[in-house]
């Protein structure tokens, strides 16, 4: 019986060794399966991240294109708006000048040549000045003209004549013109 017991012990020991080997094999197989699953999961996640990154790159490029397009449209609108503002300002100027031409006698004053007492109405000067303004040019003011009834020396009376002419045109057009002395010594009046 001792043989049977020792045989039984050997079989038990062999069976235990086989079970341990099988357990190791199962554990190794499980580890391999887990490793394979982890690698597969990582590859799947990497592929999905690559797809997301490509989508983001494509979307970013599309958004950049749209932003560039919108920026160009804004620039075009600004240019068109500036053009329209210029056109409106020009039309407003032309309407004011047409009004001034039609109503030149409004605010008219009497002037004369400094050395003469023969008088004229300033309304006679307005059409020539307004036509120059329409062409975006200045108009020379006749030399030696002074406001009638003015007092003081010639320079003071000439200055008073210029101020009266500026005021009349300002009241007709809504824009105060300016007078400048030219290189030749003559004075010219400009729309603005």
């Amino acid at each position: 019986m001792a043989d049977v017991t020792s045989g039984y012990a050997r079989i038990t020991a062999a069976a235990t060794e086989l079970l341990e080997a099988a357990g190791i094999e199962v554990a190794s197989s499980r580890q391999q399966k887990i490793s394979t699953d982890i690698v597969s999961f990582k590859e799947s996640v990497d592929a999905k991240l690559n797809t997301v990154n490509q989508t983001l790159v494509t979307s970013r490029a599309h958004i950049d294109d749209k932003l560039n397009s919108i920026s160009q449209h804004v620039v075009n609108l600004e240019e068109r708006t500036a053009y329209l503002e210029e056109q409106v300002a020009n039309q407003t100027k032309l309407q004011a000048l047409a009004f001034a031409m039609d109503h030149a006698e409004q605010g008219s004053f009497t002037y004369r040549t400094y050395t003469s007492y023969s008088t004229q109405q300033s309304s006679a000067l307005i059409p020539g000045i307004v036509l120059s303004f329409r062409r975006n040019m200045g108009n020379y003011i006749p030399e030696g003209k002074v406001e009638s009834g003015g007092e003081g020396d010639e320079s003071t009376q000439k200055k008073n004549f210029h101020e009266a002419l500026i005021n009349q045109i300002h009241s007709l057009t809504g824009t105060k013109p300016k007078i400048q002395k030219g290189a030749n010594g003559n004075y010219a009046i400009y729309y603005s």
Side-chain angles (χ1 to χ4, degrees), residues 87-112:
Q87 292 301 311
V88 167
N90 193 41
Q91 286 300 316
T92 302
K93 173 185 170 184
L94 292 176
Q95 287 174 350
L97 293 176
F99 178 85
M101 185 75 88
D102 293 341
H103 299 89
E105 69 286 340
Q106 240 179 346
S108 184
F109 62 92
T110 305
Y111 72 93
R112 63 179 177 81

Side-chain angles (χ1 to χ4, degrees), residues 55-76:
T55 303
L56 286 174
V57 167
T58 302
S59 295
R60 185 175 295 134
H62 181 71
I63 289 170
D64 288 346
D65 288 345
K66 289 294 183 185
L67 286 175
N68 287 338
S69 176
I70 288 170
S71 294
Q72 187 59 46
H73 286 306
V74 168
V75 168
N76 289 343

Side-chain angles (χ1 to χ4, degrees), residues 18-32:
L18 282 174
L19 282 174
E20 284 178 9
I24 291 173
E25 184 70 28
V26 167
S28 176
S29 176
R30 272 193 195 152
Q31 283 180 343
Q32 214 171 21

Side-chain angles (χ1 to χ4, degrees), residues 15 39 42 58 94 103 108 116-118 126 129 143 145 164 190:
V39 168
K42 182 184 175 300
T58 302
L94 292 176
H103 299 89
S108 184
S116 165
Y117 288 97
S118 172
I126 300 299
I129 292 171
E143 188 60 34
K145 304 300 182 198
Y190 297 92

Side-chain angles (χ1 to χ4, degrees), residues 5 35 74 128 136 140 142 158-160 163:
T5 308
S35 288
V74 168
N136 294 320
Y140 281 111
K158 191 183 291 188
K159 183 177 179 183
N160 291 341
E163 285 299 317

